[in-house]
Amino acid sequence: MEIRLVAGAGFCFGVKRAVDTVYEQIQTGKTIYTYGSIVNNEVVVKELTEQGVHVIESREELERLSDSKNPGDIAAGTIIIRAHGVPREVQQQMERKGWEIIDATCPFVKRIHRAVEKKSGEGEHILVVGSPEHPEVQGTVGWCNGPVEVLETVEEAEKYMPPEGKKLTVVAQTTFNYNKFQHIVEILKKKGYNVSIVNTICKATEDRQRETQEVAANADAMIVIGGKHSSNAAKLYEICREVCDNTYFIQTLDDLHLELPKSARLVGITAGASTPNKLIEEVQNYVRINF
Ligand code: F3S
C-alpha cells in the first residue's frame, strides 16, 4: 500500500520562522513571552510552555504584567509577536511598557500592514476580505489610518456599499480561499466602484490546498493533522471530505483510529500550517508499520 504525503504539508515559511525565533530566544535564558499562542497547535505550545515560555492572552494581561511590581510576580521581559501579527496599538502598548519586542510577524502579513497603512493614509477606504474574528485580520484592521471594513462572504459582498466618492483598496486574509476571493472581487468590480485589488493570499496556503485536493481525490483514506483551532487545517479537512469519505482529522497520533478496507491502495497525509514535522513523521511511520 502506498502512503502519499502532500508536498506542502506542515509548517509554512512564516510559522517555521516564528517557532524558530522562540526556540532561539529560549537559548538566551531570558524570560520569554508570546502574544497569543505562537502557532495554533496545542502540542507545540505545550512543549514551549514546558520550556518556560509564557503565553499572554489579552491586552489586559499585557497591561497587568507590565505594571506588576509585586515580589514574586513575573516581570516584563522579551515578547515575541507571532506570525499573524498584532494591531499597531498593541505593538505601541508593548513599546510604551518597555518590553523587548521581537517581531516574528510573517513578512507576507507585514506587507499587508504596510499596504493598508499607506493606502488608508492617502485617504482610501480599506476593505479586508477575511474572517473578522481571525487575529490576522484584526491585526490588519489595526494598521489602518482611517475607515476599514471586513467582509467574509459572497452575500456580504453583494450587499456591500462603500462610502460615496471614495477609492476602495481591497486586501485579503493570507489564508482566504482564492476562488472565493476572486468571486468577491468580481462582484465589487461589477458594481462599478473605483477598486484597487491587492491580492495578499499566501501561495503556501493555496498550494497546500490544491495538492491536498489532488492526493485526496485518489486516496482510499486521508489523514489531516492539525490543531483544533487551526482554520487552515479545518479547511483541508473540508477539501478532503468532498472527495474522500474516509477522512480523519487528528491532532496527534493518539487520535488516530484508522480503519482501512482490504482493497485500500493509497493513504494520503496532509497537515495544517501549524503542524510540526515530528508529528507528521510519527503518523507516517505508524501507517507504514501497521498497514
Ligand atoms: Fe506567512 Fe503564508 Fe504562513 S502568510 S504565516 S507563510 S501561510
Side-chain angles (χ1 to χ4, degrees):
M1 197 196 59
E2 190 192 341
I3 301 166
R4 201 175 297 163
L5 177 65
V6 168
F11 278 4
C12 62
F13 155 78
V15 168
K16 181 172 184 311
R17 184 173 168 270
V19 173
D20 287 350
T21 304
V22 180
Y23 278 106
E24 271 161 33
Q25 289 302 315
I26 291 173
Q27 298 307 317
T28 64
K30 292 182 282 197
T31 311
I32 306 298
Y33 296 81
T34 60
Y35 191 78
S37 309
I38 196 79
V39 288
N40 278 329
N41 188 295
E42 287 167 22
V43 180
V44 181
V45 174
K46 187 164 170 269
E47 214 173 279
L48 291 171
T49 312
E50 281 164 5
Q51 296 200 41
V53 175
H54 305 268
V55 181
I56 297 178
E57 302 287 359
S58 64
R59 290 189 68 174
E60 292 71 36
E61 195 179 348
L62 180 68
E63 195 65 21
R64 191 169 50 74
L65 281 170
S66 309
D67 293 337
S68 167
K69 299 278 189 297
N70 300 326
D73 274 353
I74 303 162
T78 302
I79 192 160
I80 300 171
I81 298 175
R82 59 186 176 174
H84 285 148
V86 291
R88 184 172 43 207
E89 250 186 55
V90 174
Q91 193 167 325
Q92 284 169 344
Q93 184 182 356
M94 293 169 183
E95 283 163 4
R96 247 191 346 264
K97 296 291 179 179
W99 291 80
E100 182 198 8
I101 303 170
I102 296 178
D103 189 357
T105 306
C106 175
F108 301 134
V109 176
K110 210 65 227 165
R111 190 182 138 232
I112 309 179
H113 293 177
R114 281 197 292 263
V116 296
E117 193 179 23
K118 181 168 176 283
K119 294 287 187 183
S120 58
E122 290 165 1
E124 293 191 18
H125 195 83
I126 308 293
L127 187 62
V128 185
V129 178
S131 159
E133 288 89 41
H134 196 282
E136 182 201 304
V137 171
Q138 290 170 350
T140 298
V141 166
W143 283 87
C144 293
N145 286 316
V148 50
E149 282 164 291
V150 181
L151 65 78
E152 191 177 11
T153 63
V154 167
E155 294 72 36
E156 284 168 344
E158 268 153 3
K159 282 191 215 134
Y160 182 70
M161 296 215 306
E164 240 168 75
K166 280 251 182 184
K167 215 178 153 204
L168 191 66
T169 289
V170 183
V171 296
Q173 183 181 337
T174 54
T175 48
F176 203 77
N177 180 289
Y178 180 76
N179 292 336
K180 199 164 147 195
F181 179 64
Q182 290 300 63
H183 192 174
I184 288 174
V185 164
E186 287 301 305
I187 294 171
L188 296 172
K189 280 187 173 164
K190 263 198 206 132
K191 293 187 181 213
Y193 302 140
N194 188 356
V195 195
S196 89
I197 312 291
V198 192
N199 179 6
T200 49
I201 293 177
C202 174
K203 198 123 184 348
T205 309
E206 216 183 300
D207 290 349
R208 192 185 310 109
Q209 288 179 358
R210 199 195 48 249
E211 286 159 13
T212 294
Q213 211 268 350
E214 281 164 13
V215 174
N218 297 304
D220 297 294
M222 214 42 218
I223 303 169
V224 182
I225 317 166
K228 246 196 298 210
H229 306 294
S230 160
S231 57
N232 77 84
K235 181 73 205 162
L236 292 178
Y237 178 72
E238 206 182 288
I239 289 172
C240 292
R241 282 284 306 181
E242 274 171 22
V243 288
C244 177
D245 287 341
N246 205 13
T247 295
Y248 298 79
F249 187 97
I250 60 168
Q251 285 210 86
T252 68
L253 186 54
D254 293 342
D255 305 331
L256 183 61
H257 306 289
L258 184 61
E259 282 176 29
L260 288 178
K262 279 232 161 11
S263 58
R265 307 246 307 263
L266 177 68
V267 172
I269 300 175
T270 189
S274 321
T275 308
N277 267 341
K278 203 169 72 183
L279 270 178
I280 301 174
E281 276 163 24
E282 265 175 31
V283 173
Q284 229 177 333
N285 287 337
Y286 170 84
V287 180
R288 188 173 298 130
I289 292 165
N290 291 285
F291 293 91

